[in-house]
Amino acid sequence: MTALKVPDLMEKATAKTGLADFGDDWFREPLDVLVHSLNTEAALSPLGFELTRHRLTALLSDRLRLRAVQRSNPGVLDVEVRVAAEICGLPRTGSTLLHRLLSASPQVTSTLSWEVAYPLPFPGEGPDAELRKARARERMQVFSQLSPDFGDLHTVVWDGPEEDVILLDRTFVSMSFDSFYRVPTYGDWLRSADQHPAYRELREWLQVLQWQNTARSLPWVLKSPHHLTAVDTVLDEFPDCRIVMTHRSPVSAVPSYASMVRAMSSQYSDDADPVHIGRYWSRRFARTLEGFAAARSARPDRFVDVRFADTVGRPLEVAREVMTALGLPPGPADDEAFETYLEQNRTERHGSHSYTPEDFGLSEDQLRRDFAFYSEVYL
């Protein structure tokens, strides 16, 4: 196993696609930082190394293919994108349930799992995208084999709503990377970086998804905890967007996410240290919530609050309240769609997993102290 090298990865992407125009090279800084951190900090296993090299090559290939689509179809860049909401909050705060519930509304659209994995048409593929959907099903099966316990942590549906942060992965400015890998240097860089170029590209990815289906002109409801690292940037780039903030006690949310990260990162490293994971994410989330408070105070009218207990206990009422706050008052068709999704949700896999804060080098008292500034205001 040798080190990952950015020029080699770019050459592989060029050879794979037959394309050479990556567009503006601003992405080289985040990619260089990420690759250095992967090489020096991530302790990749042989399998993890190969999976990572393949993944980075695929992301670079998609950058090449996006530019080719834009050159061949310049009208793509004129597609109007309207983002009604970015749902965010700490992970494990009910944001997935809320996202999938709101996405059922006939008034909105959302990024789907198969299309964030494969956002561009395969050569010779028809408008039904059957090749990409089949590939997404296969990929989900492989992921389930590599992380058999992940389904107990997070219900995975190949054709259901999924986080738009997976599109941001192609900018190399994404919380995905320090969730799947031990890359603290990259994590430091991410939280101090200007993310405006990445979010401009997120708009371009949404444009290309709409371009593939001209009937898809509804406002987007999107979701990812990553957006907490760039709240001001989200609000700048999408002027109609509201931040729907999901709230849950960090005493529960932080260890729960640490448990998920341990499951994900074990695919790539044989040294997924739970204490490092717990303390890393506890510090990260405390800083992130401090930044969120500052951004919110400047534009309070752009935020909607939802508490975890309400999402779980009265999901239909919460969905109606949030839609109304977004300027999309729900009607009978929305209610029917929400009820249909809730019935589906009851049949999906919802496992349980056992953990304590101490499993991750944390304690309930410490979490209460460190997040008191947040809990006292929002919980």
Side-chain angles (χ1 to χ4, degrees):
M1 186 173 72
T2 58
L4 297 164
K5 298 178 181 178
V6 172
D8 291 348
L9 295 169
M10 296 177 70
E11 288 177 11
K12 286 180 181 296
T14 296
K16 178 181 178 180
T17 61
L19 302 168
D21 180 8
F22 289 94
D24 190 312
D25 67 357
W26 75 267
F27 72 93
R28 281 296 306 269
E29 180 183 356
L31 179 58
D32 287 343
V33 174
L34 173 61
V35 166
H36 175 74
S37 200
L38 286 167
N39 285 332
T40 59
E41 298 171 328
L44 295 172
S45 64
L47 174 60
F49 178 86
E50 292 302 325
L51 290 172
T52 302
R53 181 167 62 180
H54 177 80
R55 176 64 174 156
L56 294 178
T57 302
L59 296 175
L60 285 164
S61 297
D62 279 351
R63 291 189 65 83
L64 290 167
R65 296 174 64 220
L66 174 64
R67 298 305 168 216
V69 166
Q70 291 170 333
R71 285 195 306 274
S72 300
N73 305 274
V76 172
L77 292 169
D78 296 325
V79 173
E80 180 186 2
V81 169
R82 294 178 295 152
V83 177
E86 279 283 11
I87 302 170
C88 54
L90 295 187
R92 320 299 292 161
T93 56
S95 57
T96 296
L97 172 58
L98 182 61
H99 181 218
R100 294 177 180 176
L101 183 56
L102 295 181
S103 297
S105 166
Q107 298 192 67
V108 302
T109 190
S110 180
T111 48
L112 301 176
S113 183
W114 66 266
E115 65 182 358
V116 295
Y118 304 105
L120 295 165
F122 288 170
E125 185 178 50
D128 56 7
E130 280 304 316
L131 294 176
R132 283 180 288 162
K133 292 176 182 177
R135 182 76 62 84
R137 286 193 293 267
E138 294 167 1
R139 178 175 174 170
M140 198 68 71
Q141 291 170 357
V142 171
F143 181 81
S144 297
Q145 292 168 0
L146 290 170
S147 295
D149 297 330
F150 189 79
D152 291 331
L153 301 163
H154 180 75
T155 303
V156 178
V157 184
W158 71 268
D159 59 347
E162 189 51 88
E163 294 189 10
D164 58 321
V165 73
I166 301 173
L167 294 173
L168 278 173
D169 288 357
R170 291 158 177 85
T171 70
F172 306 102
V173 178
S174 169
M175 193 177 113
S176 297
F177 297 115
D178 57 345
S179 297
F180 280 89
Y181 304 101
R182 179 173 177 163
V183 284
T185 298
Y186 172 81
D188 289 340
W189 176 89
L190 175 66
R191 286 155 183 84
S192 63
D194 177 5
Q195 296 193 34
H196 280 90
Y199 277 87
R200 285 194 289 271
E201 287 196 4
L202 175 59
R203 176 183 291 277
E204 293 177 20
W205 284 109
L206 296 175
Q207 285 178 321
V208 87
L209 293 180
Q210 288 184 212
W211 166 76
Q212 293 174 63
N213 180 357
T214 54
R216 193 180 195 178
S217 58
L218 297 171
W220 293 88
V221 169
L222 305 171
K223 172 252 178 181
S224 175
H226 170 87
H227 303 304
L228 279 179
T229 70
V231 172
D232 279 326
T233 305
V234 172
L235 297 177
D236 290 344
E237 185 61 34
F238 302 113
D240 298 325
C241 177
R242 307 286 290 275
I243 298 292
V244 179
M245 182 71 176
T246 53
H247 299 286
R248 184 188 186 188
S249 170
V251 174
S252 300
V254 173
S256 182
Y257 191 61
S259 180
M260 178 180 282
V261 168
R262 178 169 60 179
M264 294 188 297
S265 58
S266 294
Q267 299 176 66
Y268 299 96
S269 175
D270 297 327
D271 185 27
D273 177 7
V275 172
H276 166 81
I277 291 169
R279 293 176 177 172
Y280 176 86
W281 284 105
S282 182
R283 290 192 300 269
R284 290 288 185 222
F285 289 147
R287 283 184 54 195
T288 296
L289 289 175
E290 289 167 356
F292 159 78
R296 181 185 180 123
S297 65
R299 293 187 262 197
D301 58 315
R302 303 283 296 276
F303 292 82
V304 179
D305 294 302
V306 179
R307 288 173 175 78
F308 176 77
D310 293 331
T311 302
V312 174
R314 50 182 193 91
L316 179 59
E317 292 90 338
V318 166
R320 291 179 58 84
E321 290 166 4
V322 172
M323 291 291 290
T324 300
L326 299 180
L328 300 168
D334 298 278
D335 289 341
E336 182 179 354
F338 295 151
E339 292 282 13
T340 299
Y341 172 70
L342 289 172
E343 182 58 34
Q344 174 190 331
N345 183 60
R346 294 184 190 103
T347 67
E348 291 174 348
R349 177 182 178 184
H350 297 285
S352 62
H353 59 297
S354 300
Y355 57 86
T356 67
E358 288 73 18
D359 293 336
F360 301 98
L362 306 170
S363 72
E364 290 190 10
D365 287 345
Q366 172 243 315
L367 289 169
R368 287 193 185 94
R369 287 194 306 271
D370 291 351
F371 290 90
F373 71 94
Y374 164 77
S375 301
E376 290 169 0
V377 176
Y378 298 106
L379 299 177

